[in-house]
Amino acid sequence: MGSYTDVALIHEEVAVAPTFGSSLPVPNVQEIVKSDPLHVPERYLIKNQEDMPKDADHTCNLSSEIPTIDFSLLSRGHKEELTKLDLACKEWGFFQMVNHGVATEVLQGMKDAAAKFFELPVEEKNKVAMTSDDIQGYGHAYVVSEEQILDWSDLLFLIVYPSQYRKLKFWPTTPEEYKEAIEAYSIEVKRVGEELIRYISLIMGMEKDALLALHQELVQGVLVNYYPPCCMPDKVLGKSPHSDTSTITILMQEDNVTGLQIRKEGEWVPVKPIPNALVVNVGDVVEIWSNGKYKSIEHRAVTTESRARLSYATFLFPHDDVEVEPFDHMVESPGSLRMYKKVRYGDYLRQSLKRKMEGKAHTDAAKTAS
Ligand SMILES: O=C(O)CCC(=O)C(=O)O
Ligand SMILES: [Fe+2]
């Protein structure tokens, strides 16, 4: 029953939950489309010709070369799969992960609950709207100036682990299954994510648990991106080019809409959904630890004219106090260059949230030489 103890518990949770940054309030894109589906306000139009999505991006033949990693083979200790993982992280920074063991019902449960949430009237969704001091809740991120070009998307972001970081006031109560769905999904993604970090530790030539231990506390946040249909998909982006500030990111896509593109050899390569697969990418933390051997690749999301798209990104990242710098053994030889400075993770993350997402700007800022 609702009691003093529950309230006290919630307050206790909030007291230790950090804030990560803030974003300027901007219009709700879903509502813009609802009121006038045939018009895109000026603030969303890309000015630079080069940044505009092209039809050719959708047919790029590099797409079929994006590596696929079989998680079950990794778990069974297959050396060749570990070698494939090593190559995938070095050459692509992205891979599709199959046979991860997360039940289809759990994946679908998350998708259904999120879809229901975004279908609610805006007044209902705004019950969990972000406040001006943090980026948890329903709203937008990385909006830092009135002049910047905006992304054609709305989002719902929640920190799930460690559980004392949860801010329950931002957890939707409608649909009522949201909490259960995100919890069931996150437990599974945590299991898979921790295991992947162990394999990355191995390919870096370290003890299996070394990287996980370096996190002090593994933080896990789930970002649901909602990209409404857009009548000008060649002039508007769903999400601007960026790399993730995480250790790794695990992304669930919808089966039947392609939106994610990664930058490879100067081209934008679409990551076509494979039913039930999860897309994994190396984040900035692994790029820095590995002195740039493993790549936190720039990626973006394009929009679609005919329908909305949702994506579900889980970010795994270290505790604020962790100091991240290239490992000695990842710097080729004693005389060779350390590509990145030492950064306190909490500062790095907050710094990144203070600027618009702009390609590799965050990692570039952490570089020793330019
Ligand atoms: O929607 C997507 O496919 C990409 C989302 C993404 O890159 C992110 O949320 O960081
Ligand atoms: Fe991303």
Side-chain angles (χ1 to χ4, degrees):
M1 285 296 291
S3 67
Y4 171 76
T5 337
D6 289 347
V7 174
L9 255 180
I10 290 168
H11 281 294
E12 201 179 309
E13 281 170 4
V14 171
V16 291
T19 55
F20 291 94
S22 61
S23 187
L24 295 175
V26 285
N28 179 300
V29 184
Q30 203 177 353
E31 290 303 298
I32 295 179
V33 177
K34 227 180 244 172
S35 67
D36 189 355
L38 298 177
H39 176 72
V40 172
E42 191 61 31
R43 283 183 87 179
Y44 296 85
L45 294 174
I46 306 169
K47 307 293 179 298
N48 189 348
Q49 192 78 27
E50 268 178 23
D51 299 335
M52 294 183 186
K54 320 238 171 356
D55 271 351
D57 297 340
H58 298 288
T59 53
C60 175
N61 46 23
L62 279 174
S63 196
S64 57
E65 290 175 33
I66 296 172
T68 299
I69 299 290
D70 186 329
F71 184 83
S72 69
L73 292 180
L74 288 174
S75 325
R76 282 184 270 141
H78 280 231
K79 290 273 179 306
E80 308 85 73
E81 208 60 16
L82 214 51
T83 308
K84 267 176 81 178
L85 176 69
D86 184 50
L87 274 177
C89 295
K90 278 183 182 145
E91 290 176 5
W92 285 88
F94 262 84
F95 55 89
Q96 300 264 16
M97 181 174 51
V98 295
N99 295 329
H100 42 65
V102 185
T104 315
E105 302 79 64
V106 172
L107 303 176
Q108 197 57 46
M110 180 71 220
K111 288 180 183 171
D112 291 345
K116 274 193 199 162
F117 172 79
F118 281 96
E119 275 162 21
L120 295 172
V122 66
E123 301 74 36
E124 193 62 37
K125 288 184 290 226
N126 275 337
K127 288 185 179 160
V128 292
M130 279 177 199
T131 46
S132 59
D133 61 337
D134 202 7
I135 49 155
Q136 289 203 62
Y138 174 60
H140 302 89
Y142 295 100
V143 183
V144 296
S145 86
E146 299 298 332
E147 286 79 43
Q148 79 183 67
I149 294 163
L150 298 177
D151 291 342
W152 197 252
S153 49
D154 303 319
L155 60 86
L156 173 61
F157 179 59
L158 298 173
I159 297 285
V160 183
Y161 294 117
S163 37
Q164 68 270 22
Y165 281 21
R166 293 180 185 187
K167 293 189 176 174
L168 298 175
K169 64 178 177 181
F170 297 115
W171 288 51
T173 47
T174 329
E176 59 184 27
E177 65 272 25
Y178 199 90
K179 186 165 190 289
E180 212 175 304
I182 192 173
E183 191 113 50
Y185 179 67
S186 296
I187 289 172
E188 287 295 284
V189 173
K190 184 177 166 68
R191 170 183 64 76
V192 172
E194 286 183 348
E195 212 40 24
L196 276 176
I197 293 173
R198 290 192 180 98
Y199 299 128
I200 294 176
S201 209
L202 287 178
I203 59 178
M204 279 186 165
M206 298 156 78
E207 292 289 321
K208 204 170 178 189
D209 283 313
L211 277 192
L212 268 182
L214 279 177
H215 284 76
Q216 289 182 22
E217 185 136 50
L218 187 67
V219 187
Q220 180 170 338
V222 180
L223 172 62
V224 182
N225 295 298
Y226 182 91
Y227 306 99
C230 179
C231 63
M232 296 174 92
D234 52 340
K235 295 199 174 51
V236 176
L237 283 175
K239 194 169 286 263
S240 303
H242 67 283
S243 68
D244 293 345
T245 48
S246 54
T247 303
I248 56 169
T249 303
I250 300 182
L251 181 90
M252 174 163 69
Q253 304 204 71
E254 285 187 83
D255 290 346
N256 43 12
V257 213
T258 307
L260 173 63
Q261 298 182 338
I262 64 181
R263 207 204 274 281
K264 170 92 172 154
E265 293 160 19
E267 293 191 59
W268 284 107
V269 184
V271 183
K272 298 198 176 129
I274 300 178
N276 286 325
L278 294 167
V279 176
V280 179
N281 65 281
V282 165
D284 297 348
V285 175
V286 169
E287 175 169 318
I288 296 174
W289 271 335
S290 69
N291 201 34
K293 286 199 179 58
Y294 298 113
K295 311 268 182 327
S296 172
I297 292 291
E298 213 178 311
H299 53 284
R300 69 180 188 183
V302 295
T303 58
T304 306
E305 195 159 5
S306 54
R307 51 165 298 174
R309 169 176 179 263
L310 285 91
S311 72
Y312 315 76
T314 297
F315 303 103
L316 296 166
F317 54 95
H319 183 275
D320 275 352
D321 290 337
V322 173
E323 297 203 309
V324 184
E325 64 180 324
F327 295 133
D328 287 344
H329 73 277
M330 283 284 160
V331 181
E332 216 96 283
S333 56
S336 62
L337 189 69
R338 297 178 83 79
M339 300 234 312
Y340 305 91
K341 300 177 252 196
K342 185 195 282 186
V343 290
R344 182 179 169 275
Y345 185 71
D347 299 339
Y348 181 79
L349 177 60
R350 281 165 186 75
Q351 235 11 75
S352 81
L353 283 159
K354 281 193 191 141
R355 60 196 300 170
K356 177 182 158 45
M357 286 192 291
E358 250 171 339
K360 294 287 293 168
H362 318 139
T363 33
D364 285 348
K367 282 199 166 147
T368 45
S370 46

